[in-house]
Amino acid sequence: MNPEPVTLDGIRYVVDCGKQKMREFNGTTGMESLTVKDVSKAQAAQRAGRAGRVSAGVCFRLYTEDSFDALEKNTSPEIQRVNLAQVVLMLKGMGVHDPSKFDFLTPPSPSGLRKAFEILYGLGALDRQMKITDHGKRMAKLPVDPVFAHLLLESQRYECTSEILTVVSMLSAENIFYRPSGDLQGGVSAKAASAHKRFASHEGDIPTLVEVYNAWRREAVYLAPNGNGNSRAKRGRMSTTVLKQRGMIMHGEWCSRNYISGRALVRAHDVRNQLRSICGRPTAKHGLGMDVDASCGDDRVILFKCICAGFFLQAASRMHAAPSSDGRGSGSLGPSRGRYKTKLGGKEVSVHPHSTMFGRNPAPKCVVYTELLFTKKTYIRGVTQIREEWLVEVAPQFYGAQMARS
């Protein structure tokens, strides 16, 4: 159900399940997560309004009247349920010393602000006096989540900026893979899964996304719309013969063949170009003065170390198998394969079924992740394997004493 006030001619019937997926910030884990929540009465009324915009219509609500009466009147403001780290970093960069005293239209919760300060301190954007550091000032120039900004700046140290630009842009565009639901005629779901396998990386989801983008750049031709939003004239000048000679096909056909969302891929491409411009611009022109063409090439260890340095706050270790009834243990991972415990917060999580790491045997001992998803279980997405000892190397202030105890 599209919550936006869009009028579609001919829509007379709407089915409202009474649920929605909502992003919420978890103060324990320090991450935003996608959770299923009840709608508010205002949202229910808005959904009903999608039917009968131009004629009489009916809305079928799949919940009782008592359930409707128990709903909240309005949805809580977004600023009270999201990660405030980017807001705090932006205000600090603008010279606001104490964001808690800023005149917000709707004041955020004190706990949310406190957690934002903790995250920014962990990333090195703030010092012990909660003043913005030089690293934080550079992070504030990037219009992305502070964790992504930190990752981009770390890429300069590991000399893999080109790859990390692709990582951040692909993570910024959601739902890259098109996964048809159900077993449609011709086995479309199986075809999509088969097409996605060619991109799958044994090391995890992030290198898989990098492979998708690189394959698209190698094999497809994307013609950006001109000022009038029309790329048809450019497309007409490119003959099929020329494309075959280059071993390439048009963007739309490539995405259709590989079951990739063309819109999401174009968004990632645009985000990458914008970030590349900011990172490569000289500092005198309010840029970061980075070498945006620096690449680690085929050295995957350098890439994974950089990913570890960027996502060290979002690390998890594989859980040990429970001992057998005789107390000697089974000697294998058993039911614990694919189950992890987060390093910070100690929350038990499982690898999401859509992850390339799902079902991997043996499961990696330590991973980093980009997102938590709460359904019947708590899942991690954007999972990528790392070596546990790298955590001490990239963040000794967090993991040095922890590893020494273990």
Side-chain angles (χ1 to χ4, degrees):
M1 171 59 63
N2 186 354
E4 300 298 327
V6 177
T7 299
L8 300 176
D9 290 339
I11 300 298
R12 296 183 58 190
Y13 300 96
V14 166
V15 178
D16 177 15
C17 65
K19 301 291 183 180
Q20 63 175 329
K21 284 185 177 180
M22 180 183 292
R23 288 197 175 275
E24 287 190 333
F25 182 68
N26 188 311
T28 304
T29 61
M31 288 193 64
E32 282 186 335
S33 55
L34 199 62
T35 56
V36 178
K37 296 283 187 180
D38 292 332
V39 298
S40 64
K41 290 180 180 178
Q43 287 174 307
Q46 187 184 42
R47 290 182 176 187
R50 300 284 75 77
R53 300 285 285 185
V54 295
S55 61
V58 177
C59 175
F60 297 95
R61 288 176 173 158
L62 305 183
Y63 45 97
T64 64
E65 188 173 353
D66 289 340
S67 297
F68 175 81
D69 292 337
L71 296 177
E72 296 288 339
K73 184 177 180 181
N74 294 299
T75 307
S76 59
E78 189 172 6
I79 197 170
Q80 294 181 345
R81 52 182 170 82
V82 298
N83 186 358
L84 298 173
Q86 189 171 7
V87 175
V88 171
L89 182 62
M90 186 188 306
L91 291 174
K92 284 284 189 178
M94 294 166 56
V96 178
H97 176 67
D98 188 357
S100 63
K101 296 180 180 178
F102 186 77
D103 188 18
F104 291 100
L105 187 63
T106 301
S109 65
S111 60
L113 282 173
R114 185 167 56 251
K115 193 62 184 180
F117 277 106
E118 291 177 6
I119 292 173
L120 293 175
Y121 174 72
L123 295 175
L126 302 178
D127 60 18
R128 289 182 178 275
Q129 285 73 42
M130 295 298 107
K131 295 180 180 179
I132 190 167
T133 62
D134 291 337
H135 184 66
K137 291 176 182 177
R138 287 166 60 82
M139 287 172 58
K141 292 182 179 181
L142 293 164
V144 293
D145 185 275
V147 173
F148 290 169
H150 174 70
L151 174 62
L152 272 170
L153 294 180
E154 285 293 297
S155 71
Q156 190 173 20
R157 179 158 63 102
Y158 290 93
E159 297 183 349
C160 57
T161 303
S162 179
E163 286 81 5
I164 297 302
L165 280 169
T166 301
V167 168
V168 172
S169 61
M170 291 292 278
L171 290 174
S172 300
E174 297 181 349
N175 301 322
I176 293 291
F177 294 104
Y178 170 58
R179 296 183 173 94
S181 59
D183 191 11
L184 305 179
Q185 185 178 4
V188 179
S189 298
K191 290 180 180 178
S194 177
H196 295 163
K197 282 183 179 179
R198 67 173 287 229
F199 307 112
S201 170
H202 185 70
E203 291 88 359
D205 297 326
I206 291 180
T208 296
L209 291 175
V210 173
E211 178 55 32
V212 171
Y213 185 83
N214 290 342
W216 176 66
R217 296 293 290 161
R218 287 193 309 267
E219 302 167 4
V221 175
Y222 169 63
L223 302 176
N226 55 23
N228 298 322
N230 184 16
S231 60
R232 190 173 299 172
K234 294 181 183 179
R235 188 179 295 112
R237 292 196 293 268
M238 297 200 66
S239 66
T240 306
T241 305
V242 172
L243 291 175
K244 285 183 177 179
Q245 288 175 349
R246 298 180 183 176
M248 305 175 78
I249 57 177
M250 295 303 297
H251 162 72
E253 184 181 352
W254 188 91
C255 292
S256 179
R257 285 186 185 181
N258 293 285
Y259 294 88
I260 300 294
S261 170
R263 181 177 297 179
L265 206 49
V266 169
R267 170 171 168 74
H269 181 61
D270 292 341
V271 169
R272 190 184 190 280
N273 287 339
Q274 292 171 20
L275 292 175
R276 191 178 191 276
S277 175
I278 296 171
C279 292
R281 194 184 307 146
T283 54
K285 295 183 178 180
H286 307 289
L288 294 173
M290 297 170 61
D291 181 6
V292 293
D293 295 320
S295 172
C296 60
D298 296 329
D299 193 340
R300 308 286 277 186
V301 173
I302 290 179
L303 176 61
F304 294 140
K305 269 193 176 182
C306 183
I307 291 172
C308 177
F311 292 110
F312 69 90
L313 292 175
Q314 297 154 209
S317 292
R318 187 183 67 201
M319 295 178 62
H320 296 291
S324 59
S325 57
D326 59 6
R328 292 178 298 178
S330 61
S332 63
L333 290 175
S336 292
R337 178 160 59 89
R339 294 184 62 197
Y340 290 83
K341 181 174 287 188
T342 59
K343 289 285 190 180
L344 303 179
K347 191 172 187 66
E348 293 186 15
V349 295
S350 300
V351 176
H352 194 273
H354 286 165
S355 170
T356 58
M357 304 295 283
F358 180 75
R360 178 176 150 179
N361 189 13
K365 293 182 179 180
C366 192
V367 298
V368 291
Y369 55 93
T370 62
E371 185 180 7
L372 284 172
L373 175 64
F374 291 99
T375 53
K376 293 181 180 179
K377 297 170 65 176
T378 303
Y379 291 105
I380 50 177
R381 299 203 295 191
V383 185
T384 302
Q385 71 173 19
I386 60 168
R387 296 176 188 169
E388 199 163 20
E389 58 267 25
W390 289 350
L391 293 171
V392 182
E393 182 180 332
V394 302
Q397 72 277 20
F398 278 89
Y399 296 106
Q402 188 180 110
M403 297 297 183
R405 289 194 300 268
S406 61

